[in-house]
Amino acid sequence: MNISELYKGRPTKDDSLHREDKEIRTYDMLDRLGIVYERLDHDEAMSIDVSHEIDEKLDAVISKNLFLCNNKKTDFYLVVLPGHKRIVTKEVSKKVNSSRLSFAKPEYMEEYLDITPGSVSIMGLMNDKEKKVHLLMDKEIYDSEYIGCHPCINTSSLRIKTKDILDIFLKETGHEPMVIEV
């Protein structure tokens, strides 16, 4: 895998010309909120298995992010957990008092988070203006010093203090995390 050096902050102006709008909007929001972040650019990361090299260079565990919905497709959940954990949707359904959860279709992911499969990230909550998506954070991620995530695309990864995600970013987006143990 091709991985860049670790950069502080957003891409340079020239480099920004080759970036998707949703990625640039992520940097704009983080900068506006005064959130410090470090960034790696890399080949497309389509699975958590590919993320191990990125984790090592980023010095943070890239979170695994799953986008789920209930049977009626009326409640949507972004589940953020460490990559080494496996999720049993039946157990998570009980924890959130919902009908059986399953993976949501990509169309919903794009509609509510402006994200495509492989790029799911807590950063997508900035696009959920109507608060349709509930955030479920595994306790291990919630208690970690840093969170590793994509800036709404899967060719870059960010390292951000979890405290800044919780105290600044989520307050700005209006999302309250529900902490669960997977």
Side-chain angles (χ1 to χ4, degrees):
M1 170 173 275
N2 234 353
I3 303 175
S4 73
E5 64 183 85
L6 190 61
Y7 299 103
K8 290 190 184 277
R10 70 185 307 123
T12 63
K13 188 174 184 176
D14 288 341
D15 191 22
S16 292
L17 298 173
H18 308 288
R19 308 275 176 160
E20 290 188 42
D21 288 343
K22 57 184 149 191
E23 179 183 7
I24 297 302
R25 285 194 321 267
T26 302
Y27 302 134
D28 289 346
M29 182 173 190
L30 292 172
D31 292 347
R32 181 175 57 78
L33 295 174
I35 295 175
V36 175
Y37 57 97
E38 293 173 289
R39 174 184 51 84
L40 283 177
D41 296 325
H42 48 75
D43 294 335
E44 193 172 48
M46 287 299 288
S47 71
I48 198 69
D49 295 330
V50 175
S51 298
H52 295 300
E53 287 179 67
I54 298 167
D55 291 355
E56 197 171 294
K57 198 158 185 182
L58 202 57
D59 195 23
V61 176
I62 298 291
S63 57
K64 177 168 38 176
N65 299 273
L66 306 173
F67 191 61
L68 308 175
C69 66
N70 64 358
N71 286 337
K72 294 180 181 179
K73 295 170 185 49
T74 55
D75 290 317
F76 295 87
Y77 299 87
L78 175 62
V79 183
V80 181
L81 65 154
H84 68 276
K85 290 194 174 183
R86 299 284 177 239
I87 191 168
V88 178
T89 56
K90 184 177 180 180
E91 291 175 14
V92 175
S93 298
K94 286 180 188 175
K95 291 178 187 207
V96 299
N97 203 17
S98 176
S99 63
R100 183 76 188 247
L101 297 177
S102 61
F103 289 95
K105 291 182 180 179
E107 300 85 59
Y108 292 115
M109 193 183 306
E110 289 185 58
E111 179 181 347
Y112 297 126
L113 301 178
D114 191 21
I115 292 180
T116 56
S119 300
V120 182
S121 165
I122 198 166
M123 294 290 112
L125 292 174
M126 69 183 219
N127 300 312
D128 181 27
K129 306 293 186 207
E130 296 178 21
K131 313 296 178 279
K132 296 282 187 179
V133 180
H134 305 282
L135 175 61
L136 306 178
M137 289 182 83
D138 182 78
K139 185 168 177 22
E140 188 175 327
I141 293 286
Y142 185 86
D143 291 339
S144 66
E145 183 177 3
Y146 290 97
I147 188 168
C149 61
H150 294 306
C152 297
I153 52 94
N154 64 357
T155 53
S156 290
S157 294
L158 305 176
R159 181 174 103 148
I160 304 171
K161 286 193 174 198
T162 306
K163 183 174 178 21
D164 289 344
I165 294 290
L166 297 171
D167 295 346
I168 302 170
F169 179 79
L170 292 177
K171 285 198 185 331
E172 177 72 12
T173 68
H175 292 83
E176 183 75 28
M178 177 180 181
V179 181
I180 61 171
E181 290 194 51
V182 177

